[in-house]
């Protein structure tokens, strides 16, 4: 909107607004602002702005030291090999339910890991171990996650990856861009503010198959399933 105003009336600065002015009008409410019902029209649907902590002021969450993303082997950045995964939680209403997502950086192959009984560090560890045990060793090289407390037992998962586990910097989701983009697709099937525990393992398998059989431009119009199978055969 702010850019559109400048483009449409370039010679009338009195009609220009910066984006922060628009947000303040929405969130300020009755005190000289717009109707608070308009916040429902925002993509986030968020009624209030959340105050963000600075990343350097966040308390450490892990007993075992986390290895940051800048210490990953350079080969991971190249997307030339199978088995370098990015992971995260897709969380439901009031953070009461969640599904873990794993995406292979090279092939964009997706694994959805059900967490029917909450998503504590121990429960996530057990669920990921069960999922990882079904993958061949050549498909388990590294994992990159954010610094959520659910990964506080990451040291117990590290033996399942030949190159270990790495963590993005706090407040830097773009450092796991493949996973973030895939989570956006997953949200079409697992919407925010819903109870994700209602989705059974079979339901998640159906979603997996749909996304793994979706051709992608980055894969030269192969599907992730085709790319994953081809990479395993190398």
């Amino acid at each position: 909107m702010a850019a559109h105003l400048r483009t449409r009336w370039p010679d009338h600065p009195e009609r220009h607004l910066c984006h922060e002015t628009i947000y303040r009008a929405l969130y300020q409410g009755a005190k000289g602002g717009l109707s608070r019902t308009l916040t429902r029209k925002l993509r986030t649907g968020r009624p209030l702005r959340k105050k963000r902590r600075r990343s350097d002021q966040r308390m450490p969450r892990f007993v075992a030291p986390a290895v940051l993303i800048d210490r990953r082997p350079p080969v991971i950045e190249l997307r030339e090999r199978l088995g370098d995964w990015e992971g995260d939680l897709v969380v439901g209403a009031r953070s009461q339910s969640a599904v873990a997502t794993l995406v292979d950086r090279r092939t964009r192959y997706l694994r959805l890991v059900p967490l029917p009984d909450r998503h504590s560090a121990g429960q996530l560890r057990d669920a990921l171990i069960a999922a990882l045990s079904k993958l061949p060793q050549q498909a388990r090289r590294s994992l990159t996650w954010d610094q959520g407390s659910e990964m506080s037992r990451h040291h117990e998962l590290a033996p399942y990856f030949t190159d270990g586990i790495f963590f993005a910097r706090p407040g830097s989701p773009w450092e796991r861009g493949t996973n973030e983009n895939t989570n956006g697709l997953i949200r079409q099937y697992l919407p925010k503010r819903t109870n994700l525990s209602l989705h059974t393992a079979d339901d998640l398998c159906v979603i997996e198959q749909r996304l793994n059989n979706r051709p992608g431009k980055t894969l030269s119009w192969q599907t992730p399933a085709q790319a994953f199978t081809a990479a395993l055969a190398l």
Side-chain angles (χ1 to χ4, degrees):
M1 291 170 62
H4 175 72
L5 291 172
R6 287 174 171 79
T7 301
R8 185 166 183 180
W9 291 290
D11 300 323
H12 295 274
E14 71 278 4
R15 297 188 178 185
H16 299 174
L17 291 172
C18 72
H19 67 278
E20 183 62 24
T21 301
I22 298 172
Y23 274 116
R24 287 186 179 182
L26 284 168
Y27 286 113
Q28 189 175 351
K31 296 180 180 180
L34 300 173
S35 170
R36 287 290 297 277
T37 59
L38 292 174
T39 59
R40 299 173 186 170
K41 303 298 182 180
L42 297 174
R43 288 187 179 182
T44 61
R46 189 177 296 141
L48 294 172
R49 296 182 93 171
K50 294 182 180 180
K51 185 177 180 180
R52 296 183 180 273
R53 292 173 295 172
R54 287 174 46 184
S55 61
D56 59 356
Q57 293 178 339
R58 297 181 182 182
M59 297 295 292
R61 298 179 174 184
F62 303 152
V63 175
V67 181
L68 291 181
I69 194 169
D70 52 7
R71 293 177 58 188
R72 289 194 312 191
V75 66
I76 296 177
E77 298 294 330
L78 301 177
R79 300 181 186 270
E80 292 180 348
R81 67 180 190 178
L82 183 69
D84 293 313
W85 299 84
E86 295 180 5
D88 194 14
L89 292 184
V90 171
V91 181
R94 299 184 297 279
S95 298
Q96 297 298 304
S97 58
V99 172
T101 67
L102 294 170
V103 188
D104 178 63
R105 280 176 55 82
R106 176 181 176 179
T107 65
R108 278 63 170 181
Y109 187 78
L110 170 67
R111 290 299 315 273
L112 292 177
V113 182
L115 296 166
D117 303 315
R118 311 276 295 196
H119 47 281
S120 69
Q123 289 160 331
L124 178 64
R125 174 207 57 196
D126 293 344
L128 289 180
I129 287 175
L132 294 169
S133 298
K134 298 176 182 178
L135 294 172
Q137 185 173 358
Q138 68 266 35
R140 290 186 278 110
R141 298 181 185 271
S142 72
L143 174 63
T144 302
W145 204 278
D146 67 15
Q147 295 193 37
S149 60
E150 72 276 0
M151 280 294 281
S152 61
R153 302 179 75 163
H154 62 92
H155 54 288
E156 298 174 20
L157 287 166
Y160 288 85
F161 298 94
T162 56
D163 287 350
I165 297 178
F166 305 91
F167 291 89
R169 296 174 186 83
S172 304
W174 57 87
E175 294 183 338
R176 303 170 10 267
T178 302
N179 186 233
E180 287 291 309
N181 290 338
T182 304
N183 285 351
L185 299 175
I186 293 169
R187 281 299 189 187
Q188 298 175 22
Y189 304 95
L190 304 176
K192 295 180 181 180
R193 296 182 290 277
T194 61
N195 183 359
L196 302 187
S197 66
L198 298 178
H199 299 273
T200 67
D202 289 340
D203 295 334
L204 298 182
C205 186
V206 170
I207 298 170
E208 253 186 36
Q209 291 176 356
R210 288 182 179 177
L211 293 178
N212 284 333
N213 287 283
R214 181 177 183 267
K217 184 177 180 180
T218 55
L219 300 174
S220 299
W221 302 113
Q222 279 189 309
T223 68
Q226 290 170 332
F228 190 83
T229 300
L232 273 178
L234 295 177

